[in-house]
Amino acid sequence: MDVLIYLVPMALLLGLCGLAAFMWSLKSGQYDDVQGAAVRVLSDDDVRT
Amino acid sequence: MTEALDLSIYVKHQGDGTSHLDLAIEGIDCAACIDEIEGGVCRLPGIVDARLNYTNHRLAVEWREGALSPTQVVDELERLGYRAHPFRSGLMEEEEERRAKWLLKCLAVAGFASMNIMLLAVSVWSGNVTDITPETRDFFHWLAALIALPAVAYAGQPFFQSAMNALRNRRTNMDVPIVIGILLALTVSVVETINSAEHTYFDSVVMLLFFLLCGRYLDQAMRRRTRAVAGNLASFRAEVAHRIEESGEVVLVPTAALKTGDRVLVRPGERIAVDGVVVAGRSEIDESLVTGETAHRPVQADSQVYAGSLNANGTLTVTVTAAGKGTLLDEVERLLENAAAAKSRYVRLADRVAKVYAPVVHAAAALTALTWIATGASVHDALITAVAVLIITCPCALALAVPVVQVVASGALFRAGIFLNTGDVFERLATVDTIVFDKTGTLTMPGMRIVNAGDIDPALLGAAGRLALSSHHPLATAIASIAQGSPYDGVVEEPGQGVRAMVDGQEMRLGRPAFCGIDDCAAQVAASDPAASAIAFSWGGRRAVLLVRQALRPDAVAVVRSLRDDGFDCRILSGDRPEAVAPVAAALGIDWWRGGCKPTDKIDALEAFKAEGRKVLMVGDGLNDAPALAASHVSLSPIGAADLTQAQADAVFLGEMLRPVQDTVEIARRAHRLMRQNLCIALVYNLIAVPLAFLGYVTPLVAALAMSGSSTLVTLNALRAHGRGPAVPQGEPIPSPLRPAAQGA
């Protein structure tokens, strides 16, 4: 069972990465306009003339 | 717009050569608007960035300093078909925004911790009944402690702070037992970990925190959503004024830019945007929004005028004053302070429960420990059982019971066009038995209507309407509203008299009866309805007298009747003359009414109702209603109300209908019923769980199951508040900018 000694902390580390990613997305304002984000995905702003 | 509005006070200079302006946009109704608005604005030269927030309908524009004037942006949006209003977010709103973000962070940390600790805990639970080695179990417990301690220290802050505040003020609230439970459970778990015991409660503690934070966040999201809509509405209605510069030049500025001592020009038909003293000019003003009085008041030099009054017929020059002593506003503010202070502070349902709940829970835990020691158990076992009691009774479902219902019910109100200012309004609304209405602007429409249109030849009426389009007089707008076609050419307006024009070789006149030469006939018609103003119209030999007055809201009669059928006692308290109130009361079938009320009279009347043991819902809009709204048990305002009044109301409703008043009460009653059901569910859960915990059957596994089970049950029950939505009258869509955001976050 010695494998747990590094497997479990590794799993926790991965979880922490997820938490960090969430914190970053919150800080960069990705939840400021959730409705807009839902409809912007449909717009072709990269081909705007 | 013919005159350019000076927006400079709204522009933020950012120091890197760009300027920033926030605009609240009216008229957004679909996703395509995003591209249209952002694309349109970005095409202007000098724009660095334009980003529309579709959730709260606000546009942030940045441009290189000096490259263009902010007015160009507003004009461009106008051309695209959107109205843009400069916007400055209030301090309150920014504060809420910060708090919501903080709660979300706490929620994320608690969520992360509870998932990972649960992963470890489940392994231990399954290991305990199979073949886990004590070393592995200790390792898992230490890891759990390592995650739980910092997570609780961070994510528990909202509760620690709130509990500390309550204790400092020598009160208790729901957060006090929560914090005590959390801290005790953590301490015991750490001690158990050190002693290599079988059970720890880290998972329960963190999961509890996660559920509680969900409740807090939902509560916050509801208030923030309302605040955003209210902020937009305030900016839509932000008024402008013509300021007279030192040079004598007249510029259009937002009223927010005016300072005491500035001179302002008010033309006929304009609303006076400030409190001030008339320095030149002579006119009559309509103060119905301020006092409820519908008859006009003559003003001249040295007269005091109030923001919200409508200037009828002469041009005025007004000096802006701060509210002076003895003015109406001063009086209203003084009354407001008293009313707010005297208002018996309503104790929220949840807090009332907490007050009883906390001592009972702590007594139960202490009793458990003592009983176990008395029956010969070790101190250690007794303590563990007592902590299990505390954990199992931690008011998880109890803390969710009320906020979840509030969120769901406020969503239902949102769809009906009603916005809440305060969260505990449901509980107060549900107990209402008497509804007191103001007349002007509440039972009646804010604007004027022609009341005898049916008696007049339609061709003549149409002609009068077209002629009225050229008049600036406030009464003329009522007549102009029926106009079909464009205004006539060559119309001459004679101030204080009326308008005239030559049409088809015959002279057409609209205005005072004397101006049209039909005094006698007008006096006869006017006698039939003393509350109305008579306006004469002549076209060659043909004549008509139009009666104009404030009309009832279209559904007022039906709504008042159905409210009375539901057992509500409806009454009227109005600042208008008794002669004007009587016909309205008669039309609505309301027996109890009073006219000519000053703000103090209204408060006295409300106090008298309160003394009779009535719970009063006050519905009012005027500045004179503000103290009454603050003094009543609960209050509602239509959206057209004066700013100060809206700020005092517990909820604000949209549209021309009175129906929202009924919807509000109905939804609130349903919500209150669900809240009580939820509290019952939580209590029943405790009745079952506490004896089990007392007897020592509650292992961490049972605690986890019981807690999540009861929370889920309460949340599902709360979703029923969504239920069958209130019947929104057909053909009256909610204006698009105010369409509720479906998502609170």
Side-chain angles (χ1 to χ4, degrees), chain A residues 1 4-5 8-9 11-12 15-16 19 22-23 26-27 29 31-36 39-40 43-45 48-49, chain B residues 31 34-35 38-39 51-55 97 101 104-105 108-109 112 116 120 136 139-140 143 147 741-743 745:
Chain A
M1 287 308 240
L4 287 177
I5 291 175
V8 172
L12 287 181
L16 270 180
L19 183 65
F22 176 79
M23 290 296 185
L26 184 66
K27 202 180 165 96
Y31 298 94
D32 288 354
D33 181 16
V34 277
Q35 281 198 309
V39 293
R40 269 174 208 276
S43 75
D44 303 320
D45 49 356
R48 187 190 290 161
T49 46
Chain B
I34 299 182
D35 264 352
E38 291 182 353
R51 178 103 184 157
L52 180 75
N53 185 327
Y54 188 66
T55 311
E97 191 85 6
K101 265 201 172 152
L104 201 55
K105 276 187 203 163
V109 169
F112 161 80
N116 284 290
L120 299 169
T136 316
F139 173 57
F140 277 13
L143 271 180
I147 305 169
Q743 234 286 10

Side-chain angles (χ1 to χ4, degrees), chain B residues 47-265:
Chain B
I47 294 282
V48 178
D49 189 26
R51 178 103 184 157
L52 180 75
N53 185 327
Y54 188 66
T55 311
N56 56 19
H57 293 174
R58 288 179 194 158
L59 177 72
V61 192
E62 278 174 25
W63 65 92
R64 283 194 302 282
E65 219 140 298
L68 86 170
S69 88
T71 326
Q72 277 173 273
V73 177
V74 176
D75 288 348
E76 175 67 16
L77 287 167
E78 182 106 351
R79 203 181 58 74
L80 292 169
Y82 303 96
R83 299 191 48 171
H85 308 267
F87 174 85
R88 247 196 316 205
S89 64
L91 219 60
M92 197 75 142
E93 207 183 319
E94 280 173 21
E95 182 57 41
E96 299 256 316
E97 191 85 6
R98 249 199 310 278
R99 191 174 156 76
K101 265 201 172 152
W102 181 52
L103 280 176
L104 201 55
K105 276 187 203 163
C106 292
L107 188 63
V109 169
F112 161 80
S114 67
M115 277 187 283
N116 284 290
I117 295 178
M118 195 51 81
L119 176 94
L120 299 169
V122 170
S123 314
V124 173
W125 296 337
S126 61
N128 274 344
V129 291
T130 50
D131 59 348
I132 196 168
T133 59
E135 294 76 29
T136 316
R137 190 168 61 209
D138 281 355
F139 173 57
F140 277 13
H141 281 165
W142 278 113
L143 271 180
L146 196 71
I147 305 169
L149 292 175
V152 170
Y154 182 82
Q157 285 175 75
F159 305 99
F160 300 151
Q161 285 176 7
S162 151
M164 279 306 286
N165 275 339
L167 288 180
R168 220 171 281 149
N169 297 328
R170 295 174 184 286
R171 293 184 293 111
T172 69
N173 59 9
M174 204 61 113
D175 292 335
V176 176
I178 290 175
V179 169
I180 294 178
I182 286 176
L183 292 182
L184 265 178
L186 266 188
T187 319
V188 167
S189 300
V190 170
V191 172
E192 292 288 276
T193 306
I194 293 171
N195 293 337
S196 322
E198 260 185 43
H199 295 301
T200 57
Y201 289 96
F202 292 117
D203 58 306
S204 306
V205 173
V206 189
M207 189 167 66
L208 178 78
L209 213 53
F210 179 71
F211 279 130
L212 291 173
L213 281 167
C214 284
R216 286 299 143 95
Y217 181 72
L218 286 177
D219 193 36
Q220 177 76 16
M222 172 195 85
R223 265 180 295 145
R224 204 160 48 99
R225 186 169 60 169
T226 312
R227 197 140 345 245
V229 175
N232 280 8
L233 285 174
S235 73
F236 291 172
R237 302 177 335 108
E239 292 185 42
V240 294
H242 296 278
R243 183 171 66 194
I244 308 173
E245 304 283 300
E246 292 296 327
S247 58
E249 195 189 347
V250 176
V251 258
L252 194 62
V253 294
T255 45
L258 290 173
K259 290 190 293 289
T260 308
D262 280 349
R263 282 186 309 150
V264 175
L265 191 71

Side-chain angles (χ1 to χ4, degrees), chain B residues 139-478:
Chain B
F139 173 57
F140 277 13
H141 281 165
W142 278 113
L143 271 180
L146 196 71
I147 305 169
L149 292 175
V152 170
Y154 182 82
Q157 285 175 75
F159 305 99
F160 300 151
Q161 285 176 7
S162 151
M164 279 306 286
N165 275 339
L167 288 180
R168 220 171 281 149
N169 297 328
R170 295 174 184 286
R171 293 184 293 111
T172 69
N173 59 9
M174 204 61 113
D175 292 335
V176 176
I178 290 175
V179 169
I180 294 178
I182 286 176
L183 292 182
L184 265 178
L186 266 188
T187 319
V188 167
S189 300
V190 170
V191 172
E192 292 288 276
T193 306
I194 293 171
N195 293 337
S196 322
E198 260 185 43
H199 295 301
T200 57
Y201 289 96
F202 292 117
D203 58 306
S204 306
V205 173
V206 189
M207 189 167 66
L208 178 78
L209 213 53
F210 179 71
F211 279 130
L212 291 173
L213 281 167
C214 284
R216 286 299 143 95
Y217 181 72
L218 286 177
D219 193 36
Q220 177 76 16
M222 172 195 85
R223 265 180 295 145
R224 204 160 48 99
R225 186 169 60 169
T226 312
R227 197 140 345 245
V229 175
N232 280 8
L233 285 174
S235 73
F236 291 172
R237 302 177 335 108
E239 292 185 42
V240 294
H242 296 278
R243 183 171 66 194
I244 308 173
E245 304 283 300
E246 292 296 327
S247 58
E249 195 189 347
V250 176
V251 258
L252 194 62
V253 294
T255 45
L258 290 173
K259 290 190 293 289
T260 308
D262 280 349
R263 282 186 309 150
V264 175
L265 191 71
V266 187
R267 297 184 181 146
E270 283 183 356
R271 224 168 248 294
I272 301 175
V274 291
D275 294 322
V277 176
V278 176
V279 284
R282 183 182 282 271
S283 176
E284 287 186 344
I285 57 173
D286 171 2
E287 294 186 320
S288 61
L289 189 59
V290 185
T291 59
E293 168 70 61
T294 44
H296 292 183
R297 178 169 76 100
V299 290
Q300 51 188 337
D302 294 334
S303 301
Q304 174 85 37
V305 291
Y306 307 106
S309 320
L310 192 64
N311 183 17
N313 44 24
T315 302
L316 296 172
T317 307
V318 175
T319 307
V320 183
T321 55
K325 285 282 165 239
T327 64
L328 177 82
L329 250 183
D330 191 42
E331 165 87 357
V332 165
E333 265 169 23
R334 192 180 55 74
L335 284 173
L336 261 182
E337 264 171 40
N338 295 347
K343 190 169 188 172
S344 52
R345 269 316 304 159
Y346 179 81
V347 187
R348 294 181 182 208
L349 191 58
D351 286 342
R352 270 184 296 169
V353 173
K355 216 175 190 172
V356 187
Y357 191 76
V360 169
V361 166
H362 293 152
L367 191 71
T368 311
L370 290 178
T371 317
W372 276 63
I373 292 173
T375 51
S378 68
V379 174
H380 170 265
D381 284 354
L383 270 184
I384 292 283
T385 322
V387 165
V389 169
L390 269 186
I391 290 180
I392 204 87
T393 53
C394 225
C396 188
L398 217 52
L400 279 175
V402 174
V404 182
V405 176
Q406 274 179 4
V407 170
V408 179
S410 78
L413 285 178
F414 232 82
R415 273 174 292 140
I418 305 152
F419 309 104
L420 301 181
N421 275 349
T422 46
D424 59 342
V425 67
F426 292 111
E427 299 162 29
R428 283 183 284 136
L429 268 171
T431 54
V432 161
D433 54 14
T434 306
I435 304 180
V436 176
F437 293 96
D438 169 49
K439 181 185 77 81
T440 319
T442 305
L443 288 172
T444 64
M445 309 268 281
M448 301 278 192
R449 290 281 187 285
I450 303 175
V451 286
N452 63 341
D455 308 340
I456 299 165
D457 176 14
L460 216 54
L461 202 60
R466 282 179 68 186
L467 185 59
L469 287 173
S470 310
S471 169
H472 288 102
H473 197 280
L475 288 179
T477 51

Side-chain angles (χ1 to χ4, degrees), chain B residues 372-607:
Chain B
W372 276 63
I373 292 173
T375 51
S378 68
V379 174
H380 170 265
D381 284 354
L383 270 184
I384 292 283
T385 322
V387 165
V389 169
L390 269 186
I391 290 180
I392 204 87
T393 53
C394 225
C396 188
L398 217 52
L400 279 175
V402 174
V404 182
V405 176
Q406 274 179 4
V407 170
V408 179
S410 78
L413 285 178
F414 232 82
R415 273 174 292 140
I418 305 152
F419 309 104
L420 301 181
N421 275 349
T422 46
D424 59 342
V425 67
F426 292 111
E427 299 162 29
R428 283 183 284 136
L429 268 171
T431 54
V432 161
D433 54 14
T434 306
I435 304 180
V436 176
F437 293 96
D438 169 49
K439 181 185 77 81
T440 319
T442 305
L443 288 172
T444 64
M445 309 268 281
M448 301 278 192
R449 290 281 187 285
I450 303 175
V451 286
N452 63 341
D455 308 340
I456 299 165
D457 176 14
L460 216 54
L461 202 60
R466 282 179 68 186
L467 185 59
L469 287 173
S470 310
S471 169
H472 288 102
H473 197 280
L475 288 179
T477 51
I479 302 172
S481 64
I482 53 150
Q484 288 158 347
S486 51
Y488 294 112
D489 294 327
V491 179
V492 181
E493 178 158 23
E494 294 189 11
Q497 296 298 319
V499 283
R500 59 186 165 82
M502 293 299 286
V503 179
D504 301 339
Q506 286 183 309
E507 194 181 45
M508 196 185 260
R509 283 181 175 225
L510 178 77
R512 283 176 187 273
F515 176 67
C516 304
I518 43 173
D519 260 341
D520 42 346
C521 169
Q524 244 174 42
V525 178
S528 69
D529 190 350
S533 314
I535 296 176
F537 177 64
S538 66
W539 187 5
R542 289 189 286 168
R543 275 146 201 202
V545 179
L546 307 169
L547 290 176
V548 172
R549 72 169 152 83
Q550 289 190 313
L552 284 176
R553 286 183 187 259
D555 62 343
V557 176
V559 168
V560 170
R561 189 190 306 128
S562 97
L563 281 173
R564 281 202 324 221
D565 288 346
D566 288 346
F568 291 104
D569 191 347
C570 296
R571 302 181 167 191
I572 299 179
L573 280 176
S574 173
D576 205 354
R577 292 154 297 153
E579 311 81 282
V581 184
V584 172
L588 296 173
I590 293 178
D591 305 324
W592 198 105
W593 59 270
R594 204 178 279 169
C597 293
K598 292 198 179 58
T600 38
D601 299 337
K602 290 195 177 190
I603 290 186
D604 290 345
L606 289 177
E607 290 297 333

